[in-house]
Amino acid sequence: MAGLNGDPFLGIDDNIEKLQYNNNSKEVIDKEGLVVGIGEDSSNNKNNNQGGEKDMAGNSIHRSGSRPQLDLSKAEIQGNSEERDPTILLPNQTDDISHLALDIGGSLIKLVYFSRHEDQSVDDKRKKTVKERLGISNGNRRNFPILGGRLHFVKFETSKLNECLDFISSKQLHRGRIDSHHWNSEAPANENAVIKATGGGAYKFADLFKERLGVSIDKEDEMDCLVAGANFLLKAIRHEAFTHMEGHKEFVQIDHNDLFPYLLVNIGSGVSIIKVDGDGKFQRVSGTNVGGGTYWGLGRLLTKCNRPYSSVTPLFSFDELLELSQRGDNRTIDMLVGDIYGGMDYSKIGLSASTIASSFGKAISDKKELQDYRPEDISLSLLRMISYNIGQISYLNALRFGLKRIFFGGFFIRGHAYTMDTISFAVHFWSKGEAQAMFLRHEGFLGAVGAFMSYQKHGLDDLMVHHLVERFPMGAPYTGGKIHGPPLGDLNEKASIIEFCLTNMRQFMLYSISWMEKFVLKGTEITAPVPMAPPGTTGLGGFEVPSSRGATLRSDASALNVGVLHLVPTLEVFPLLADPKMYEPNTIDLSDHKELEYWFTVLSEHLPDLVDKAVASEGGTDDAKRRGDAFARAFSAHLARLMEEPAAYGKLGLANLLELREECLREFQFLDAYRSIKQRENEASLAVLPDLLLELDHMDEETRLLTLIEGVLAANIFDWGSRACVDLYHKGTIIEIYRMSRNKMQRPWQVDDFDLFKERMLGSEGKKPRPHKRALLFVDNSGADIVLGMLPLARELLRRGTEVVLVANSLPALNDVTAMELPDIVAEAAKHCDILRRAAEAGGLLVDAMNNNTLDGSRGNSSSVPLMVVENGCGSPCIDLRQVSSELAAAAKHADLVILEGMGRALHTNFNARFKCEALKLAMVKNQRLAEKLIKGKIYDCVCRYEPAT
């Protein structure tokens, strides 16, 4: 049967063997000539709106007849509107809106599903007041609402379809019930329930989905989904595309304005080669029937390593074949140029002795039977043969259309180094370096992502890079198989279920716990990937065999490269960045292996103290101790994996590393490891604040400004993320350490721009400068840092008529103060300061009546400039200004001064950042390595860096 566009080979990924397409009508026709489905013509999606339906903005939209509708009319909050994550009732909703999409291929089933965030902050009265002042409305910015949540990626072998169905059913994904507090296995079925699916299996297994799950399959065109998924990922994920040559992975920053045209090569069971000219504009130009199915099928026949089927031992898998190749040596089977020329190169035509002349060529002359060859060598030779063939065919098609960039996707690749290097070698070799092979981290999920996007309610096509944050929670079901139990409650509940399941194997298979839960209850270890030898020149792929012969390749190693995408529609690019495209938050280059090793050592050494604090924050219970131990092992495993493959989770910076630690803590239910410490330090600092403010008020203007900056630097010494500072805490109280730090403040500092800042603030030659209109103060630690350092500085700015916005973390990280905690701290401080009280009232921080111990008892002053608090949108000691909250972005629009305080925000990140407005970066250096690298100084040196507007 001829393939698309007259190709001699069908080559459609994942073998849609019995279907052919009518390119004009988009009908899908079976082998008997009957129409079994109709795909959507992407060229008509935007312009042919026959029904005249309007979206929320009044624009015409197109919907397919079978597409589920989201009816928001008469929507209302059900229950208490003040409760956390209240349920929203849609009384006029008739269709079940699923949060699941599938790509059902001939070899693998790929799932993309959505789960709602459960840690959204409460929208209290204070936040509403601040939003009103900043001009932030709750109106919908896009045609369809995007729920904040997580996008998960899961795969199953198609031969294990029943396991996939069990997974969907147990988590109620087909009904959109993927939150633990909404899960109900007895929820009634809805005959209108529809889920999106693409791939040949969407047709083949439609009846089975209806029978087992009671849902209908809404079929989406496979090529449409592949292209839509690829375009979305390339635009929305910052570190999606990368090159892989001679073992070196390098991420490629894609310019959205220069993305098209490109060649998309999707390697499933077969291979499809697609020329992509734009969103919805593409053409399948070629393909080959030699793909992943060929490797799997021939490998199974030739290696004879498939195991007999039993109820316990699974059938031979693709990943086992890859595992064999890790330990293979292709020189025992492949005929090399050196074998023909007596170990010499064929230099006249540029072929080295190690170049493969004929795959499997030595089998011609060797007097061996099949069983005499090592399965590992056969697997590697076969992998290289097919990978090289795909690379060459892809380049020849790129040459046809004059394309320089080729993106490779599909689950054949699986993030496998040999596969990528062989493909890259082929493209580079035949193009003489002019064309470039690039790979996608979500390589196997292109079709599933495209199908997911076809739910119009998600509105993903409107998402940008800053709306998605990729994270790697330990408990995420990143692969198929046994991880498909329902969401469970607390750990005691999980323990009782495990005890029950151990006595009932059948139930255990149905209610298996997640990876994270196994860490807590079973002590399961994570093994790091196989270490690779330095690149050599053996064979066409150009690599020696792995150094760790006999070691095991994780069957899920490639899946670990795919994290959970956190969809945060309220994240925006910080508008005051001078050049967002050139902005790089990280100042530490972890591509240097020695640098990476140093920081891994720092984190590892700090781990025991962090675990102690985390366990103490949960009352020191046995349960907390188990979780603390599990967190330590899990985070250590992450570090071990990153030491082997630093780019496993995307481009790695110190900020990413620190955020990974915080995410891991949260995953093991340590929501605020330093809660009690922060509270104690806040109380101690607030107790001495009145004396400090009184002292400041008796100073002249110039002395006061210097004392304020010294106070910020001195108070910034309180950092539980620094080993040197932790040692200090054992030598004195918080007030004693603060006083000691203040007494040692001697100028000049290592970076000292105070005189420039003073001139801007106080003027020169008797000329008073205009005050700043609005200042954004990015605050750091709790306790003395915020109370004795940043609040007095904020008070001085308020005194001068400057609006002040305190910018704090959305989620806890170490002992950093959060936006939820700051209003209470300000309220306590305001009891002793009339300036702070009036500003806090004007900024909506004191919405309740103040008690009677204020200074003068007067009520709010409408003429006072406001003091406000906004969250920054992150939960890390560092901050990436490409992804900040919409509140912060709104506050920044009228700001003319940014103050970044603390090592994480002003040194680890943003030390080199440039802004459209004035910027002041303040920090005490508490790491010797950072001091040497960044400011050529030593530990406890101070940084006061002032930068005029760019």
Side-chain angles (χ1 to χ4, degrees):
M1 179 176 65
L4 302 185
N5 300 323
D7 282 336
F9 301 111
L10 178 61
I12 297 178
D13 7 307
D14 294 317
N15 292 346
I16 309 176
E17 295 174 351
K18 296 182 179 180
L19 304 177
Q20 58 180 338
Y21 287 65
N22 181 322
N23 285 330
N24 294 324
S25 66
K26 291 291 180 178
E27 295 174 342
V28 182
I29 306 170
D30 70 7
K31 63 179 182 179
E32 303 299 329
L34 301 176
V35 176
V36 296
I38 301 177
E40 293 183 58
D41 188 340
S42 58
S43 64
N44 294 329
N45 282 355
K46 298 180 179 179
N47 301 322
N48 295 349
N49 179 35
Q50 302 298 329
E53 188 178 356
K54 305 289 184 180
D55 65 14
M56 295 179 186
N59 302 316
S60 298
I61 58 175
H62 170 79
R63 302 179 190 263
S64 64
S66 61
R67 174 166 283 149
Q69 307 290 305
L70 182 66
D71 192 340
L72 297 177
S73 60
K74 298 184 179 180
E76 61 180 1
I77 292 178
Q78 189 177 36
N80 182 5
S81 61
E82 297 297 326
E83 71 178 3
R84 177 171 172 169
D85 296 338
T87 300
I88 298 177
L89 181 66
L90 302 179
N92 296 330
Q93 183 62 42
T94 56
D95 289 334
D96 263 5
I97 299 296
S98 176
H99 290 67
L100 165 73
L102 302 95
D103 180 359
I104 312 174
S107 305
L108 292 170
I109 303 171
K110 287 78 67 177
L111 287 78
V112 172
Y113 72 91
F114 176 86
S115 65
R116 188 161 60 99
H117 274 312
E118 296 182 18
D119 54 1
Q120 296 171 346
S121 57
V122 179
D123 194 16
D124 57 20
K125 294 179 180 179
R126 290 189 181 104
K127 290 189 68 174
K128 290 178 180 178
T129 304
V130 171
K131 284 184 176 181
E132 291 172 0
R133 179 170 284 279
L134 295 177
I136 303 174
S137 69
N138 292 321
N140 199 345
R141 292 189 299 111
R142 37 179 68 80
N143 294 340
F144 294 89
I146 301 175
L147 298 176
R150 303 171 180 88
L151 204 58
H152 303 264
F153 302 86
V154 188
K155 65 180 174 70
F156 291 86
E157 292 179 15
T158 305
S159 61
K160 298 175 182 177
L161 176 61
N162 286 330
E163 287 190 3
C164 176
L165 294 172
D166 288 341
F167 177 85
I168 295 171
S169 178
S170 67
K171 289 190 177 293
Q172 300 287 286
L173 300 181
H174 55 306
R175 295 172 185 164
R177 294 181 176 91
I178 29 58
D179 300 313
S180 57
H181 54 284
H182 291 303
W183 179 77
N184 180 5
S185 60
E186 304 300 325
N190 186 327
E191 62 182 9
N192 294 322
V194 175
I195 60 175
K196 294 287 187 180
T198 188
Y203 301 90
K204 184 176 181 179
F205 301 116
D207 291 341
L208 186 58
F209 272 80
K210 187 69 174 178
E211 177 186 340
R212 287 283 306 275
L213 302 178
V215 298
S216 299
I217 296 290
D218 190 6
K219 306 170 186 67
E220 295 291 327
D221 179 76
E222 186 168 3
M223 297 299 160
D224 285 345
C225 289
L226 280 173
V227 174
N231 286 345
F232 168 72
L233 291 169
L234 287 169
K235 290 178 179 179
I237 310 300
R238 181 169 290 112
H239 299 139
E240 178 64 26
F242 61 92
T243 59
H244 203 288
M245 284 287 288
E246 297 185 345
H248 178 67
K249 178 186 287 187
E250 183 174 340
F251 288 95
V252 179
Q253 188 63 46
I254 303 296
D255 184 349
H256 296 177
N257 298 319
D258 191 35
L259 175 60
F260 307 111
Y262 67 85
L263 201 67
L264 175 62
V265 181
N266 197 66
I267 314 172
S269 297
V271 181
S272 280
I273 301 177
I274 307 163
K275 179 175 178 285
V276 182
D277 293 304
D279 291 317
K281 300 177 182 178
F282 63 89
Q283 179 184 10
R284 184 180 186 273
V285 295
S286 187
T288 172
N289 57 355
V290 179
T294 313
Y295 175 59
W296 196 349
L298 278 177
R300 183 172 180 177
L301 290 173
L302 294 175
T303 62
K304 296 186 177 180
C305 63
N306 54 306
R307 299 189 293 268
Y309 175 81
S310 70
S311 60
V312 178
T313 305
L315 287 173
F316 167 74
S317 71
F318 190 100
D319 291 304
E320 288 176 301
L321 197 61
L322 280 181
E323 180 183 332
L324 288 175
S325 73
Q326 288 287 113
R327 304 191 298 271
D329 185 348
N330 69 303
R331 293 171 296 183
T332 64
I333 298 177
D334 291 341
M335 182 182 294
L336 309 182
V337 169
D339 295 326
I340 300 174
Y341 286 88
M344 298 176 61
D345 296 338
Y346 189 179
S347 55
K348 185 176 181 179
I349 59 174
L351 296 178
S352 68
S354 61
T355 301
I356 298 175
S358 176
S359 294
F360 289 87
K362 282 187 179 176
I364 300 171
S365 55
D366 287 345
K367 296 179 180 179
K368 294 181 181 179
E369 299 298 326
L370 181 59
Q371 60 269 22
D372 296 327
Y373 291 96
R374 295 173 66 240
E376 294 87 344
D377 301 338
I378 294 174
S379 178
L380 182 59
S381 180
L382 184 62
L383 178 65
R384 288 184 168 175
M385 179 185 75
I386 292 173
S387 299
Y388 179 70
N389 184 58
I390 292 172
Q392 184 176 18
I393 291 174
S394 300
Y395 164 67
L396 292 174
N397 277 281
L399 186 63
R400 287 173 59 194
F401 299 101
L403 303 178
K404 302 297 183 183
R405 292 185 300 189
I406 311 171
F407 293 102
F408 291 86
F411 251 122
F412 167 74
I413 300 171
R414 274 171 167 74
H416 193 250
Y418 283 158
T419 305
M420 292 186 289
D421 280 311
T422 306
I423 291 173
S424 295
F425 183 92
V427 172
H428 186 271
F429 179 86
W430 291 109
S431 70
K432 294 181 173 58
E434 293 186 4
Q436 192 174 35
M438 287 182 280
F439 303 91
L440 305 175
R441 296 183 55 236
H442 294 80
E443 57 193 16
F445 292 97
L446 305 184
V449 169
F452 187 82
M453 291 178 64
S454 66
Y455 288 110
Q456 296 221 13
K457 68 170 175 39
H458 291 305
L460 290 180
D461 55 341
D462 195 28
L463 286 182
M464 299 298 289
V465 170
H466 48 274
H467 293 145
L468 290 109
V469 181
E470 188 170 15
R471 294 176 178 142
F472 301 85
M474 302 298 299
Y478 55 88
T479 187
K482 297 179 181 178
I483 304 179
H484 54 257
L488 303 176
D490 59 33
L491 290 168
N492 292 328
E493 176 188 351
K494 296 168 185 175
S496 63
I497 288 180
I498 293 172
E499 183 178 353
F500 169 75
C501 290
L502 290 175
T503 63
N504 190 319
M505 184 58 69
R506 179 175 179 274
Q507 287 298 101
F508 179 75
M509 293 300 292
L510 290 177
Y511 294 95
S512 180
I513 58 175
S514 76
W515 193 16
M516 180 271 286
E517 293 154 3
K518 288 176 181 176
F519 257 92
V520 175
L521 297 167
K522 288 293 187 181
T524 304
E525 295 183 1
I526 305 178
T527 57
V530 177
M532 303 299 293
T537 56
T538 303
L540 191 56
F543 287 88
E544 302 287 356
V545 295
S547 60
S548 54
R549 289 184 180 274
T552 302
L553 173 72
R554 292 172 54 86
S555 61
D556 60 325
S558 63
L560 276 178
N561 292 341
V562 178
V564 174
L565 294 182
H566 288 231
L567 278 67
V568 191
T570 56
L571 291 184
E572 299 185 26
V573 177
F574 189 58
L576 293 178
L577 287 174
D579 189 350
K581 289 185 178 180
M582 297 301 293
Y583 169 74
E584 170 55 49
N586 292 287
T587 54
I588 303 297
D589 183 10
L590 295 186
S591 61
D592 181 339
H593 188 77
K594 290 184 178 179
E595 197 70 35
L596 185 67
E597 189 174 27
Y598 169 80
W599 288 102
F600 278 17
T601 302
V602 169
L603 292 175
S604 297
E605 290 178 348
H606 182 246
L607 195 55
D609 184 73
L610 178 57
V611 171
D612 289 344
K613 298 296 184 297
V615 172
S617 73
E618 297 290 318
T621 63
D622 290 340
D623 171 70
K625 291 176 182 176
R626 285 197 301 271
R627 287 187 282 122
D629 179 63
F631 155 72
R633 287 184 283 110
F635 183 59
S636 296
H638 273 302
L639 294 182
R641 173 162 177 75
L642 288 170
M643 277 300 294
E644 294 290 346
E645 189 183 352
Y649 300 160
K651 186 178 180 181
L652 185 63
L654 187 56
N656 311 107
L657 206 54
L658 295 175
E659 185 174 19
L660 178 62
R661 178 181 62 186
E662 301 304 323
E663 278 295 311
C664 200
L665 274 171
R666 286 189 277 271
E667 189 63 31
F668 287 96
Q669 301 175 27
F670 294 110
L671 302 182
D672 191 352
Y674 288 81
R675 182 190 303 117
S676 58
I677 291 175
K678 291 192 294 183
Q679 183 177 355
R680 185 170 66 247
E681 292 185 350
N682 286 338
E683 290 173 354
S685 301
L686 285 165
V688 300
L689 177 64
D691 291 338
L692 173 62
L693 298 183
L694 187 62
E695 179 185 337
L696 289 168
D697 288 342
H698 284 85
M699 296 178 181
D700 63 75
E701 206 172 33
E702 183 173 337
T703 303
R704 184 169 66 241
L705 185 61
L706 176 59
T707 304
L708 285 167
I709 298 301
E710 286 179 340
V712 171
L713 294 172
N716 190 236
I717 195 173
F718 297 96
D719 190 341
W720 283 93
S722 164
R723 170 56 58 189
C725 294
V726 171
D727 292 339
L728 279 177
Y729 292 129
H730 300 300
K731 300 176 182 178
T733 67
I734 182 173
I735 301 304
E736 289 171 341
I737 297 171
Y738 172 71
R739 286 173 179 164
M740 176 193 71
S741 183
R742 280 288 301 267
N743 292 335
K744 290 185 177 181
M745 286 285 116
Q746 293 183 355
R747 296 183 63 198
W749 301 312
Q750 190 65 18
V751 177
D752 194 340
D753 293 335
F754 173 76
D755 291 336
L756 291 175
F757 180 65
K758 180 185 71 173
E759 183 177 335
R760 168 61 183 90
M761 291 291 290
L762 307 182
S764 59
E765 298 179 357
K767 183 178 180 182
K768 288 283 186 179
R770 61 175 179 80
H772 294 94
K773 182 177 182 182
R774 177 181 292 172
L776 304 181
L777 275 61
F778 288 77
V779 297
D780 190 14
N781 305 307
S782 296
D785 200 347
I786 177 65
V787 176
L788 305 180
M790 292 299 279
L791 272 184
L793 179 60
R795 177 177 178 261
E796 181 68 17
L797 291 166
L798 292 167
R799 188 204 300 266
R800 294 173 177 279
T802 300
E803 294 182 357
V804 174
V805 180
L806 300 176
V807 183
N809 268 14
S810 300
L811 296 174
L814 292 173
N815 61 318
D816 290 359
V817 67
T818 68
M820 289 290 288
E821 297 164 342
L822 256 182
D824 291 335
I825 294 173
V826 172
E828 286 298 314
K831 294 176 182 179
H832 311 288
C833 176
D834 194 41
I835 296 174
L836 288 176
R837 179 178 57 78
R838 289 198 303 266
E841 287 178 341
L845 296 181
L846 303 180
V847 294
D848 301 318
M850 293 284 292
N851 55 31
N852 294 324
N853 61 347
T854 54
L855 291 182
D856 58 10
S858 63
R859 300 313 306 148
N861 185 343
S862 59
S863 63
S864 177
V865 291
L867 172 64
M868 295 173 280
V869 172
V870 300
E871 57 182 307
N872 58 22
C874 77
S876 167
C878 302
I879 185 169
D880 183 343
L881 293 175
R882 293 170 299 197
Q883 294 171 315
V884 303
S885 70
S886 56
E887 290 180 16
L888 175 52
K893 290 178 181 177
H894 300 292
D896 50 2
L897 174 63
V898 167
I899 300 179
L900 290 159
E901 181 240 354
M903 281 216 308
R905 294 159 185 80
L907 299 183
H908 287 151
T909 54
N910 301 305
F911 186 68
N912 299 318
R914 293 293 178 265
F915 300 94
K916 297 176 182 177
C917 66
E918 296 171 53
L920 181 66
K921 299 169 185 178
L922 302 170
M924 176 179 284
V925 185
K926 289 150 286 189
N927 177 275
Q928 183 62 45
R929 181 82 161 219
L930 188 67
E932 295 170 356
K933 288 276 186 179
L934 207 59
I935 62 171
K936 310 298 183 186
K938 59 185 184 299
I939 195 167
Y940 300 132
D941 273 341
C942 294
V943 172
C944 176
R945 185 171 185 173
Y946 172 71
E947 298 161 352
T950 300

